[in-house]
Amino acid sequence: MAAITAALVKDLREKTGAGMMDCKTALSESNGDMEAAVDWLRAKGLSKAAKKADRVAAEGLIGVASDAKSGALVEVNSETDFVARNPEFQKVVAEVGKLALKAGGDVEKLAAAIYPGKTASVTDHLKELVATIGENISLRRTAALSVNDGVVATYVHNQAAPGLGKIGVLVALESTGNAEKLAEIGRQIAMHVAATNPLALKDEEVDPEVVERERAIFTEQARESGKPEKVIAQMIEGRIRKFYQEVVLLKQAFVINPDLTVEKAVKEAEKEAGAPITVAGFVRFELGEGIVTEKGDFAAEVAAAAANQ
């Protein structure tokens, strides 16, 4: 059996919000496997961290740039929020965002692009900025969307400056309809995506491993009810349908009008746009998602508490 260290208990508690001893038990039951321990806690109803396991902990800015039929996102990280408020840093992220439109979502191509007014690449210019600002700065990722007909709408949440913030969203709408109306519904959907963080556009685009993981959790929860297998099977399928409604963009209740799903809201918008509308894709960047930093010496606290059990 894998050693259940204080650090493991600490990480699991931060990921799930569950109690210390529950986390220790979950790790013991899961032989030290972190993902299995998260699932164990969820199955027992001890964790509310359903779809987000990692704390957002990096600083910097998300940059958003767009033209009529394309849009791009970039994430440039810094060590502190103080630097993210620096006008020079903000100018750099905005310029990198513009370059990202040409890079088409290729981070290596973007990193190698020549920075405006310089002979240095984006990567080399960021290194120069490190020397000027005195703090590590890095280009982490980029993404882009484009359409043949229609619009790529954008939204920035927690905006620090135009096109710069903590969350950036692109939504691509394919349509020959009125551009102004398309931009309006596109921005509303982008705001919705910022708020709800869907996993996929359609059911079939949800990662099968994620679906099977949810099914396994739902199965264990349903079997604890003690009901007949036929009823349990129906319970599981019902929960899977609800899961899709929670994580699939087109099936989610539209935050602008919860009486409609996003799919129905798009259908309603077609009337004003004067043509069919297809949501071709979306991208959402949240600053620092998936990056975890250590805060305090909680491991020592856990170790001391565990030793007294």
Side-chain angles (χ1 to χ4, degrees):
M1 179 176 176
I4 309 304
T5 65
L8 273 177
V9 175
K10 168 183 176 288
D11 286 347
L12 183 58
R13 187 176 182 186
E14 289 181 345
K15 287 176 184 294
T16 63
M20 183 177 65
M21 294 312 298
D22 288 330
C23 288
K24 187 174 180 182
T25 302
L27 286 163
S28 297
E29 292 290 329
S30 307
N31 196 31
D33 185 295
M34 183 63 70
E35 283 199 6
V38 171
D39 290 348
W40 188 91
L41 287 168
R42 288 185 57 204
K44 300 300 181 184
L46 298 172
S47 169
K48 295 183 180 180
K51 293 170 279 295
K52 293 182 182 178
D54 293 338
R55 289 186 304 146
V56 176
E59 298 298 341
L61 287 169
I62 303 296
V64 182
S66 64
D67 56 27
K69 296 183 179 181
S70 64
L73 300 176
V74 295
E75 179 176 356
V76 181
N77 293 130
S78 61
E79 293 181 41
T80 66
D81 185 57
F82 177 78
V83 167
R85 299 194 300 270
N86 182 307
E88 185 177 359
F89 178 77
Q90 292 179 356
K91 180 182 177 182
V92 168
V93 178
E95 291 292 348
V96 173
K98 294 174 187 176
L99 290 173
L101 282 170
K102 299 179 181 178
D106 187 327
V107 70
E108 292 184 2
K109 184 177 179 180
L110 177 58
I114 301 301
Y115 188 83
K118 302 281 185 177
T119 58
S121 67
V122 167
T123 295
D124 288 339
H125 183 64
L126 290 181
K127 289 178 181 177
E128 293 174 7
L129 197 62
V130 170
T132 302
I133 292 180
E135 169 171 321
N136 188 35
I137 295 168
S138 62
L139 170 64
R140 184 185 180 203
R141 55 180 174 161
T142 184
L145 292 176
S146 62
V147 295
N148 293 320
D149 291 304
V151 301
V152 175
T154 67
Y155 174 69
V156 179
H157 189 64
N158 284 342
Q159 185 165 273
L164 303 172
K166 301 294 186 181
I167 297 176
V169 179
L170 304 176
V171 172
L173 301 181
E174 290 276 4
S175 178
T176 58
N178 180 277
E180 185 177 338
K181 295 299 181 182
L182 293 176
E184 182 181 341
I185 186 64
R187 179 173 171 77
Q188 289 179 347
I189 295 172
M191 293 173 69
H192 170 98
V193 170
T196 65
N197 194 15
L199 295 183
L201 178 63
K202 304 174 183 178
D203 288 7
E204 57 268 26
E205 295 176 5
V206 179
D207 186 339
E209 290 187 6
V210 173
V211 177
E212 287 310 307
R213 180 177 174 180
E214 295 300 314
R215 187 182 294 277
I217 292 169
F218 295 155
T219 298
E220 184 171 346
Q221 290 174 338
R223 284 189 173 145
E224 286 184 355
S225 69
K227 294 182 179 180
E229 284 297 317
K230 184 177 179 180
V231 175
I232 287 174
Q234 293 172 342
M235 290 172 64
I236 293 168
E237 291 310 308
R239 291 182 184 183
I240 288 293
R241 285 194 297 273
K242 185 177 179 182
F243 170 70
Y244 279 127
Q245 290 170 359
E246 291 173 347
V247 304
V248 173
L249 175 59
L250 293 177
K251 288 191 170 181
Q252 288 179 326
F254 193 32
V255 294
I256 308 298
N257 181 359
D259 291 334
L260 301 176
T261 62
V262 172
E263 188 171 31
K264 288 181 179 177
V266 171
K267 281 293 180 185
E268 289 289 322
E270 291 178 349
K271 299 173 185 175
E272 293 189 11
I277 302 172
T278 299
V279 182
F282 72 92
V283 184
R284 180 187 186 275
F285 276 7
E286 182 168 347
L287 181 66
E289 58 193 343
I291 299 176
V292 179
T293 59
E294 301 296 329
K295 289 187 178 181
D297 192 16
F298 186 70
E301 175 191 335
V302 174
N308 292 328
Q309 298 299 317

